[in-house]
Amino acid sequence: MIRHKTAALALLACALAPAAMAAPSSTASLRTVAEQSGDRRTGRYEEVERLCPAFQQQWPQQVRCFEFGRTPEGRPMLALAASADGTLDAASARRSGRPIVFMQGGIHSGEIDGKDAGFLALRQMLEGSLAKDALKNVTLVFVPVFNVDGHERFGRWNRPNQVGPEEMGWRATAQNLNLNRDYAKAEAPEMQAMLRLLGEWDPILYVDLHVTDGAKFEHDISYSVAPTLNGHDPIRQAAVAVRDELMKRAAEKGSLPLDFYPSFLKDDDPTTGFAVSVGPKRFSQAYWAGRNRIGVLVETHSWKDYRTRVRITHHTIISLMEMAARDGKKWVAAAQAADAEAAKIGGSTVALTYTNTPHVRTIEFRGYEYERTPSAISGALMTRYNDKKPQIWRIPLLDEVKPDITVTAPRGGYVVPASYAGMVAEKLTLHGIEFQALKQPLKASEVEVFRATKAAPASATFEGRSVFNVEGDWSKEKRDVSAGALFVPIAQPKSELVMSLLEPRDPDSLVSWGFFAASFERKEYMEAYVAEEVAEEMLKKDPALRREFEKRLEDPAFAGNPNARLDFFYRRHSSWDERYNLYPVLRIDRTP
């Protein structure tokens, strides 16, 4: 903890009096442990705490080092803003219309290539030796390590499927949360700090630097750029152009790049091939694409050595900065056009999820010779690769997607009842979503309600939550809405993110993440002997009900289930809880 206080004091001193502090005579002191060790090792977080203010001290007019949050274990979350013209805060960037590029390393801190490549690339850009004009035209915000606590869980075998560095951090946070599953639900303190930072800067390009797991093959990097398979046309076209040029530049540098995430359809079986996909908004690039900006997931291949991976990541950073310097303003214009389109989706059909079409093509994939034989250890088929013998795999790629779960967007928006307003408002604010509190109640207002026909939690928790799966649909009803409820308009740039959070069948909705779990629990019951008496009275008074009951008795499963037979009557009695399986959030076709 002492070193955190020391770093904080150094930051404060730099911020208050950069001109009074003697700058280093050269930039040799800004070299990372990775650079000094020939990329055998990577530094501990204290290196970030040293380099961040040191960069500002060396270039006080071009770099600002700042803290944007604290981790659960009390460590500072640090970022560097860099710009040749001194545009080093978000407000100034907005006023000038300056494009912002945001790059982060270490969301999974064992995959730390981005930290070391990022510091090297930033120093070279500031020195003018690479991407000379990039910082003249864009401001770079660089977070060397997102998952700081995980970074300090340092060890030699934290990544057993990865070659180097000698020691590295851990995938999850100190609270055992995977930050790259947290963008939508926004539970981790680190993610909440990150979302505030992203909301403040609103970068046109968000680059998340990773290392992949998986099979052994020759390809050394993959780029998952979004939105390229969905999204509004202006920003989708810009993202496709980014992807295509990035692939070309990487190949010119000697890489074997992929434009899809190389995960076999069946684990450990190369013959099953790959599929392109549109990811849910729990992932960085999909989340940022959902905000009508460009997200890039960079994955170097784990079986390449650390020096190779850092070099390839460094090339990627420089390429993206050069592209942003040239095209950043065009990307911003495309994002603004996409924002305008997104604000008009009310009443239209919107895809919540996507699936692959049957369309498939055979690709020539640069793999290695391998064999699949029964394992004496696991008893399963095991794949053994011979990475001394490259081999072309001719394998399938499912290369198209189509909408899967779709829903019609409300014409007005969503109404969150006062009882849930606090929780939902906190999430909406983190995501920069517009909403307002209703000052007056709505009486007998025509709304849409969602009643679940099926609602069940998963058999195990996921990311610390009891994930829910619901089925059902919206239908019209008249209901009262009390003052203090929230109105979330659909007519806003982040409309599709609104739908992801508030449409219950979206995999990243607040319902799916279990925030409304209590709404799908029965809290009141009718004793069996009471239900028997009630059923007798109901059958006497209602011949139509008797016929319906007799029809149900033709089903052997129903007839043999005493509880189901009694429940048949309880659900039709006035004592039945009409809110059971009722999603509390409503939809409305007008602005209240």
Side-chain angles (χ1 to χ4, degrees):
M1 186 61 71
I2 292 175
R3 71 173 183 269
H4 304 325
K5 293 180 180 178
T6 302
L9 290 173
L11 281 172
L12 183 61
C14 287
L16 292 179
M21 300 182 69
S25 58
S26 72
T27 59
S29 63
L30 302 182
R31 297 173 74 233
T32 62
V33 168
E35 201 174 349
Q36 295 174 54
S37 69
D39 293 311
R40 293 192 311 275
R41 294 181 287 116
T42 190
R44 300 295 294 267
Y45 194 65
E46 62 189 8
E47 177 182 57
V48 177
E49 294 177 283
R50 176 182 64 81
L51 287 177
C52 187
F55 267 77
Q56 177 175 312
Q57 184 178 353
Q58 178 74 7
W59 291 284
Q61 304 304 315
Q62 289 81 40
V63 178
R64 179 169 70 95
C65 171
F66 61 97
E67 178 180 330
F68 65 95
R70 285 266 157 171
T71 70
E73 292 186 338
R75 295 183 175 89
M77 301 176 70
L78 299 177
L80 298 92
S83 171
D85 71 350
T87 305
L88 300 176
D89 64 89
S92 298
R94 279 194 299 273
R95 284 194 299 270
S96 65
R98 189 176 179 84
I100 306 299
V101 174
F102 193 112
M103 297 197 185
Q104 72 186 25
I107 189 173
H108 297 151
S109 287
E111 308 168 20
I112 205 58
D113 307 14
K115 176 191 67 174
D116 292 320
F119 271 125
L120 174 60
L122 177 57
R123 192 184 77 227
Q124 291 171 329
M125 285 188 284
L126 290 164
E127 291 170 338
S129 60
L130 284 177
K132 295 180 181 180
D133 296 329
L135 293 176
K136 292 181 181 179
N137 297 315
V138 301
T139 292
L140 170 66
V141 179
F142 174 48
V143 174
V145 180
F146 183 1
N147 176 15
V148 179
D149 289 343
H151 186 280
E152 290 306 276
R153 189 177 169 183
F154 224 59
R156 285 185 176 272
W157 286 100
N158 286 351
R159 292 276 293 166
N161 310 306
Q162 179 175 298
V163 180
E166 291 177 358
E167 295 180 283
M168 70 285 289
W170 193 253
R171 183 179 182 85
T173 69
Q175 296 176 331
N176 205 34
L177 294 174
N178 183 340
L179 292 175
N180 205 30
R181 305 295 184 272
D182 199 42
Y183 279 87
K185 67 182 177 71
E187 277 199 298
E190 297 97 329
M191 181 56 72
Q192 293 173 4
M194 177 60 73
L195 291 178
R196 293 186 187 102
L197 184 64
L198 288 169
E200 179 185 3
W201 283 93
D202 190 22
I204 183 57
L205 182 66
Y206 182 25
V207 185
D208 190 12
L209 303 166
H210 286 246
V211 182
T212 190
D213 290 315
K216 289 187 177 183
F217 44 72
E218 288 193 289
H219 296 277
D220 50 19
I221 193 166
S222 71
Y223 300 118
S224 299
V225 182
T228 54
L229 298 172
N230 66 331
H232 297 283
D233 280 346
I235 196 66
R236 182 184 58 78
Q237 291 172 10
V240 168
V242 168
R243 179 199 64 196
D244 293 348
E245 183 170 348
L246 198 53
M247 290 285 292
K248 179 182 177 182
R249 284 172 173 253
E252 289 171 349
K253 289 290 186 179
S255 279
L256 296 171
L258 298 168
D259 60 4
F260 58 87
Y261 187 84
S263 179
F264 296 135
L265 294 180
K266 183 180 178 182
D267 189 43
D268 202 34
D269 186 353
T271 63
T272 60
F274 306 104
V276 301
S277 64
V278 175
K281 293 179 178 61
R282 67 193 62 174
F283 297 119
S284 60
Q285 81 282 7
Y287 173 78
W288 206 238
R291 291 177 65 151
N292 302 318
R293 306 296 184 261
I294 302 171
V296 182
L297 174 68
V298 178
E299 296 267 5
T300 55
H301 188 45
S302 61
W303 291 111
K304 301 299 182 279
D305 63 74
Y306 195 51
R307 170 172 284 187
T308 299
R309 299 202 318 269
V310 169
R311 173 178 57 80
I312 296 168
T313 303
H314 170 267
H315 288 162
T316 298
I317 292 170
I318 295 299
S319 291
L320 286 168
M321 288 299 295
E322 290 175 341
M323 293 159 62
R326 185 194 66 211
D327 296 333
K329 288 187 179 294
K330 294 179 183 178
W331 298 344
V332 171
Q336 291 170 343
D339 283 349
E341 289 185 9
K344 299 175 182 178
I345 69 169
S348 65
T349 299
V350 175
L352 301 179
T353 63
Y354 290 81
T355 189
N356 291 103
T357 71
H359 191 271
V360 64
R361 61 185 171 92
T362 299
I363 60 172
E364 293 192 346
F365 192 83
R366 298 278 293 269
Y368 293 111
E369 186 177 279
Y370 69 93
E371 61 178 3
R372 284 173 57 77
T373 57
S375 167
I377 305 298
S378 66
L381 277 179
M382 175 189 173
T383 304
R384 295 181 185 273
Y385 297 95
N386 183 349
D387 57 11
K388 300 293 189 291
K389 293 186 176 182
Q391 184 181 74
I392 298 297
W393 299 343
R394 291 176 177 81
I395 54 178
L397 173 68
L398 293 166
D399 62 351
E400 290 181 353
V401 298
K402 63 179 180 180
D404 186 15
I405 299 175
T406 62
V407 66
T408 301
R411 295 186 179 279
Y414 297 86
V415 175
V416 181
S419 53
Y420 287 93
M423 179 272 288
V424 175
E426 180 182 342
K427 299 296 183 186
L428 299 179
T429 300
L430 283 169
H431 292 296
I433 290 170
E434 302 167 20
F435 64 93
Q436 63 188 58
L438 299 183
K439 296 181 179 179
Q440 301 295 327
L442 304 177
K443 297 294 185 181
S445 183
E446 187 170 281
V447 297
E448 288 181 279
V449 302
F450 184 96
R451 293 186 181 275
T453 54
K454 290 184 180 178
S459 58
T461 59
F462 176 62
E463 290 302 309
R465 298 205 64 85
S466 182
V467 181
F468 253 75
N469 179 57
V470 299
E471 297 178 16
D473 212 341
W474 296 95
S475 61
K476 291 188 179 296
E477 289 186 14
K478 288 191 175 182
R479 301 189 76 87
D480 294 338
V481 177
S482 64
L486 306 180
F487 172 62
V488 187
I490 198 67
Q492 60 175 299
K494 298 182 183 71
S495 58
E496 291 184 27
L497 183 56
V498 170
M499 295 184 70
S500 288
L501 294 173
L502 297 182
E503 282 294 330
R505 291 189 296 158
D506 189 285
D508 274 320
S509 70
L510 297 178
V511 167
S512 294
W513 281 111
F515 288 96
F516 290 97
S519 299
F520 307 104
E521 299 172 357
R522 284 177 67 170
K523 301 297 185 180
E524 189 56 86
Y525 300 86
M526 182 182 287
E527 296 287 354
Y529 69 89
V530 175
E532 293 278 3
E533 296 174 0
V534 166
E536 290 173 358
E537 288 298 317
M538 292 173 71
L539 288 172
K540 289 178 183 177
K541 294 179 179 179
D542 191 340
L545 180 64
R546 177 179 290 277
R547 290 192 295 272
E548 184 181 354
F549 180 60
E550 291 172 348
K551 182 69 174 176
R552 290 296 308 278
L553 290 174
E554 295 175 7
D555 177 3
F558 177 80
N561 188 332
N563 290 332
R565 290 171 66 156
L566 292 177
D567 208 42
F568 173 89
F569 296 97
Y570 183 26
R571 288 174 177 270
R572 289 159 176 77
H573 192 261
S574 59
S575 63
W576 176 254
D577 180 9
E578 66 90 20
R579 294 188 185 182
Y580 173 54
N581 277 345
L582 176 67
Y583 174 41
V585 175
L586 311 172
R587 302 191 347 161
I588 194 167
D589 281 344
R590 59 182 178 82
T591 300

